[in-house]
Amino acid sequence: PLSEESLAVPLYILLPHRAHAGKTVSAPTEMTDIASTALASLGVRPLRSGLGQDLAQVASGLSPIAMRPSIAEGGERSIARWGTLTLAIRPRGEPFLCDVSLDPTCTFDRRAIMPLATDALLRGFAMAQRDFAKFTPPKEVTAEIDDATLAALKVTGAMD
């Protein structure tokens, strides 16, 4: 089920120079953040802007405000998350808006008192679906890995 409990999975990362070592951050993340973090750690700019955030910035507390909500889809239910606001979207029935900082169990629908947030999340969800439908993966690129980088990858267990 797409609930706060099932989506709250721990993610452990090792940043270059052990930046933010031992720090616990409870900010929501998504799969694209891992790729963006890896690219930023290597000093490579992402191919497209807006796809994921650098988790080093999130851990530092200096991450920019997301322009679009994070999206999770499962079965017949979709979730759009923007900060502490979560909008549950079903093919049939009305969407359900929750502020997890005020209502962690999401029992109270806040659409009536937060119509602008509801509209922003619905629009963000529609834009994310449109962009995903248009997305074509980039051409394959072969990376040249020097001996020091290869040794570092072996130490962290990324390469066997």
Side-chain angles (χ1 to χ4, degrees), residues 1 12 23 33 48 64-65 67 74 82 90 93 100 105-106 115 134:
Y12 297 94
K23 186 170 187 178
D33 296 341
R48 283 180 59 192
I65 296 171
M67 296 303 290
W82 192 23
R90 296 177 186 95
V100 294
T105 59
C106 288
K134 290 192 309 186

Side-chain angles (χ1 to χ4, degrees), residues 52-106:
Q53 56 188 342
D54 179 4
L55 295 176
Q57 284 187 330
V58 173
S60 73
L62 301 175
S63 61
I65 296 171
M67 296 303 290
R68 292 187 177 181
S70 298
I71 306 296
E73 296 185 87
E76 289 193 10
R77 187 172 173 207
S78 301
I79 298 288
R81 171 96 183 238
W82 192 23
T84 62
L85 299 177
T86 301
L87 186 71
I89 304 165
R90 296 177 186 95
R92 292 174 290 287
E94 294 291 320
F96 187 91
L97 182 67
C98 170
D99 187 337
V100 294
S101 65
L102 301 173
D103 180 15
T105 59
C106 288

Side-chain angles (χ1 to χ4, degrees), residues 32-54 135 138:
T32 55
D33 296 341
I34 296 169
S36 293
T37 303
L39 290 172
S41 296
L42 294 169
V44 177
R45 299 188 77 195
L47 297 172
R48 283 180 59 192
S49 63
L51 287 180
Q53 56 188 342
D54 179 4
F135 179 73

